[in-house]
Amino acid sequence: MSKPNMSRLHNAIDLLGKLVAFDTTSKNSNLGLIHFVRDYLAQYGIESTLFHDETGEKANLLATIGPKDVPGIALSGHTDVVPALEKSWISPAFELTERDGKLFGRGSADMKGFSACALAMVPELVKRDLAIPFHLCLSYDEEVGCLGVGSMVDHLANLKTPPRLAVIGEPTEMKVINGQKGKFSMRVAVTGTAGHSSFAPRHVNAIEYAARAITMISDLAREFEENGPFDNDFTVPHSTMLTTTIGGGTATNVTPDFCEFTFEIRHLPEHDAKAVLDGIKEKILETLDAEMKAKEAETGFEWEEIFSYPGMGDCTDAEAFELVRNIVPEVSGKVSYGSEGGIFEKQGNIPSIICGPGSIKQAHKANEFIEISQIEECLEFLEKLSDQAVAA
């Protein structure tokens, strides 16, 4: 690594401290952070466009640096963080604290570190004669299902010159992730009939029918594990499917008339998860649901999609990847966790990679941190990327 620009590094750390100080847990508004970034960019003559949610309490921010009549590069980061309720935090979760070359704070790695680096590059970017633009994209509600970014991606896709590449700055230790799984999260409500448990055969036991459905889901997951489809570049090389929560029943002597469970499928990008879900629903409808209704017409299964996001394919063979091929240290494979990369690719038709500072191992846990050396690596990457944007 070349010697870091200390002024830029200090600026990045200062900006990270300011971003971490905003408690943007997904249940909260992110407007304080968004307005801070908008005002920061305005100091450099950069105009921001905000895309609010229906409540007006959250927003995406899009800002373009450089010419607007050629395809550019999107630098994408989410502003929300997971809760910091653990008792084992050594320092305040929403106060950036430096110890032993590490910066501690909720969101430091996931993923305000990348956003701070991108913002720290702004003073230099505005001075450079960029041949292609950078689109700074900050989103809301990524941590609860990638719910917010869609409106901004739609806007980007409808530009006369949409971005040619998106860099999703999730923590990858500055290695390129060239694929991610998609996900469907489902809620299933099972309605039966209640009564004294001594007359159980006369009732429709909601928990038992839920259990039989869960077994079907588990059997299908085992089929994926044994028969694929497979992609060995993924950390888990096949689609996965599992039940994640369950609740129901009222007392030990009452046949339960209600049970609710949730399940998910994390699918390979080319695996048709919608067809999988339609198939399992049809099978349950034709068997379990029909059996329940034969006893009592008002019983049965109800399905609700909680959220979904698409998988992200491999764009390393695409022309757009040539912008970064020679400046990234390595392509490290594909991951089973989610990001907004699939939405940029599938919804926006924008080829995407995942590459950002910090380690995913530090995300979603107490005493989350990012190493200062990772901030340095990210700044170096962005500087080389800006060199590419000048030379393009």
Side-chain angles (χ1 to χ4, degrees):
M1 185 194 306
S2 61
K3 185 177 180 180
N5 180 314
M6 298 308 295
S7 175
R8 191 188 303 143
L9 176 61
H10 291 154
N11 191 22
I13 294 173
D14 179 66
L15 285 163
L16 179 55
K18 290 180 168 63
L19 297 181
V20 166
F22 292 101
D23 180 355
T24 50
T25 305
S26 300
K27 66 182 178 64
N28 298 333
S29 170
N30 74 334
L31 291 184
L33 184 152
I34 289 294
H35 292 164
F36 165 77
V37 173
R38 178 194 62 190
D39 295 344
Y40 170 83
L41 294 172
Q43 297 176 44
Y44 299 96
I46 302 168
E47 182 180 351
S48 300
T49 302
L50 305 189
F51 303 85
H52 290 85
D53 71 348
E54 293 180 355
T55 70
E57 292 300 313
K58 297 181 180 182
N60 301 313
L61 179 147
L62 172 63
T64 300
I65 307 168
K68 297 184 179 181
D69 57 349
V70 293
I73 304 168
L75 303 176
S76 175
H78 63 79
T79 62
D80 62 318
V81 297
V82 298
L85 304 177
E86 303 91 344
K87 302 292 186 183
S88 53
W89 280 89
I90 297 174
S91 52
F94 294 101
E95 180 181 314
L96 194 69
T97 305
E98 181 178 348
R99 295 193 301 274
D100 302 321
K102 302 171 183 176
L103 301 169
F104 291 81
R106 174 59 83 221
S108 56
D110 186 16
M111 57 175 290
K112 293 178 178 179
F114 178 79
S115 298
C117 289
L119 292 172
M121 289 295 300
V122 166
E124 181 173 333
L125 290 177
V126 296
K127 296 176 182 177
R128 305 196 74 172
D129 185 17
L130 297 176
I132 61 175
F134 287 94
H135 304 282
L136 179 62
C137 306
L138 300 181
S139 67
Y140 65 89
D141 280 359
E142 188 272 350
E143 294 289 7
V144 289
C146 299
L147 302 179
V149 74
S151 59
M152 182 164 53
V153 169
D154 286 342
H155 178 84
L156 287 168
N158 289 318
L159 294 175
K160 290 183 179 179
T161 52
R164 60 197 293 191
L165 179 72
V167 178
I168 314 299
E170 293 280 0
T172 68
E173 299 179 89
M174 292 309 299
K175 299 172 184 176
V176 168
I177 299 298
N178 60 320
Q180 66 155 71
K181 290 182 179 178
K183 179 177 177 179
F184 277 82
S185 181
M186 303 293 297
R187 180 180 293 113
V188 183
V190 187
T191 301
T193 57
H196 197 286
S197 59
S198 62
F199 294 97
R202 302 179 185 178
H203 309 143
V204 179
N205 188 323
I207 288 180
E208 289 188 358
Y209 277 99
R212 290 167 65 183
I214 289 169
T215 299
M216 289 182 178
I217 291 168
S218 180
D219 289 343
L220 190 55
R222 194 171 300 108
E223 183 178 323
F224 295 155
E225 186 174 0
E226 294 174 355
N227 302 318
F230 297 106
D231 184 338
N232 290 320
D233 287 339
F234 276 92
T235 48
V236 178
H238 52 80
S239 298
T240 58
M241 201 171 184
L242 74 156
T243 301
T244 50
T245 69
I246 188 169
T250 55
T252 59
N253 60 351
V254 177
T255 302
D257 64 350
F258 185 76
C259 183
E260 182 177 273
F261 66 92
T262 61
F263 73 96
E264 68 170 31
I265 175 172
R266 291 182 183 265
H267 61 94
L268 301 179
E270 305 309 319
H271 193 182
D272 190 346
K274 183 67 164 54
V276 170
L277 292 173
D278 288 345
I280 192 71
K281 289 187 337 188
E282 182 178 0
K283 184 176 181 180
I284 289 173
L285 180 67
E286 293 176 350
T287 56
L288 304 183
D289 193 87
E291 187 179 314
M292 295 172 75
K293 285 179 167 52
K295 281 189 173 183
E296 177 58 55
E298 300 303 314
T299 63
F301 286 74
E302 294 184 6
W303 304 75
E304 177 190 357
E305 180 181 312
I306 303 172
F307 66 81
S308 66
Y309 54 77
M312 185 188 83
D314 184 354
C315 77
T316 55
D317 289 332
E319 180 272 337
F321 188 69
E322 296 304 318
L323 284 168
V324 297
R325 185 180 302 279
N326 296 324
I327 63 174
V328 293
E330 65 177 285
V331 176
S332 64
K334 304 173 183 179
V335 294
S336 298
Y337 62 77
S339 82
E340 295 168 337
I343 297 174
F344 274 86
E345 180 197 295
K346 298 295 194 302
Q347 186 172 320
N349 198 30
I350 302 168
S352 302
I353 59 171
I354 306 171
C355 183
S359 170
I360 194 66
K361 295 177 183 178
Q362 302 306 323
H364 298 197
K365 62 194 297 185
N367 302 306
E368 176 183 351
F369 69 83
I370 187 170
E371 295 180 354
I372 293 176
S373 60
Q374 284 286 298
I375 298 290
E376 293 173 355
E377 283 193 42
C378 185
L379 290 171
E380 183 180 4
F381 166 74
L382 292 174
E383 181 175 16
K384 290 179 179 178
L385 193 58
S386 67
D387 290 341
Q388 296 283 95
V390 170

